[in-house]
Amino acid sequence: MRSVRDAPGRPVAVANGEEGEPGSVKDRWLLRHRPHLVLDGLRLASAVTGAARGVVYLSDPHAERAVRRALGEWPAELPVAVVRTEPAYVAGEESAVVRRIDGGPALPTAKPPRPYESGVGGAPTLVANVETLARIALLHTRPDGAAADAHLVTVSGTGGAAALVEVPAGTHLKVLADLCGHGRAEAVLLGGMFGGLYGAGWRDLPLDQDSLAAAGGALGCGALHFLHPEACPVAVAREAAAYLAAQSARQCGVCVSGTGALADALAAVARGEADAETSGKLLRWSRGLPGRGACGLLDAAAGVAGSLLAHFPDRVEDHRDPGCPACAGAAPGDGRRFTVPVP
Ligand code: SF4
């Protein structure tokens, strides 16, 4: 907010409610059920940055109806437009948000400039996640910070029901898993798909940005997908990589070839057709590809592959003998395994 405030020009503030991760529902839930809280946060963020107008950016039609209704009940201190986009993994990336609001496709652009430097209509633009804005509104009413120091987490997984829960920052994953019926899980996919797979030791991970990053994962959108004993991490990695390859916006050559190669190699591992050379390539790509696309999709695919090799080398090795039943029945990578209905 400081960067936007200090940039030359009259800023624009955007509430970004387009959550591309299929395993996350928190933003749609907030827009559907707490739209006034998000709008209050947008108004406060606009006051801090000096924004002349606001935009609510989303793809969910139920959320759009709730926001429009709330705007009708809201003091008209700040002109707010609602911009609807098509749902896609990359549609919520900040430069894609700006491009779509300006009338273009919801696809990321090369950076710099970042939106805070030149965003909607060339104005400095705050692109803030709707949960962030809701927490700004809570912080305004509870300045002690208690309301802000928490996370909305979408929990799902093989062998248990999906749930959206709010927990204090730092809550151990074991507590969260037990609370949601996933205590038997052997592994977890962190941050939607962005934080990769985590095996032994996942129970001791505290749910906060810094701790997960230090452990080689990421909090991302806060979605956790637990893998129960009958689930195969190779099958999960293969489905995630196939989904990401299908969602590539196909703008950056390195992403088109990189996500495709990662997905193909993981599919070969799952079919029992991979050799040591395949694992070597996966390792090289997982280290060399992150940071080379215009957005984080390529990083997510590389992270899924790298974390599979790091946490499950024996399971990868076991797949040299074809016949893993979980991999044989794996979904085609349309994201269905990870998709959670909005409560
Ligand atoms: S990295 Fe991939 S998804 Fe992201 S902008 Fe480039 S081509 Fe599109």
Side-chain angles (χ1 to χ4, degrees), residues 92-188:
E93 194 273 342
E94 60 174 9
S95 63
V97 172
V98 167
R99 203 169 169 189
R100 176 69 189 89
I101 292 172
D102 276 342
L107 298 175
T109 56
K111 291 169 274 297
R114 297 271 307 277
Y116 75 85
E117 300 164 299
S118 177
V120 175
T125 300
L126 177 76
V127 181
N129 172 262
V130 298
E131 184 186 358
T132 305
L133 293 172
R135 293 209 184 280
I136 287 172
L138 291 173
L139 192 59
H140 189 65
T141 58
R142 291 272 312 272
D144 62 6
D149 203 13
H151 296 294
L152 275 173
V153 185
T154 313
V155 178
S156 66
T158 50
L164 176 65
V165 292
E166 184 174 33
V167 290
T171 300
H172 282 89
L173 263 55
K174 175 186 183 330
V175 175
L176 198 50
D178 287 344
L179 182 72
C180 299
H182 293 284
R184 285 175 57 240
E186 291 189 340
V188 61

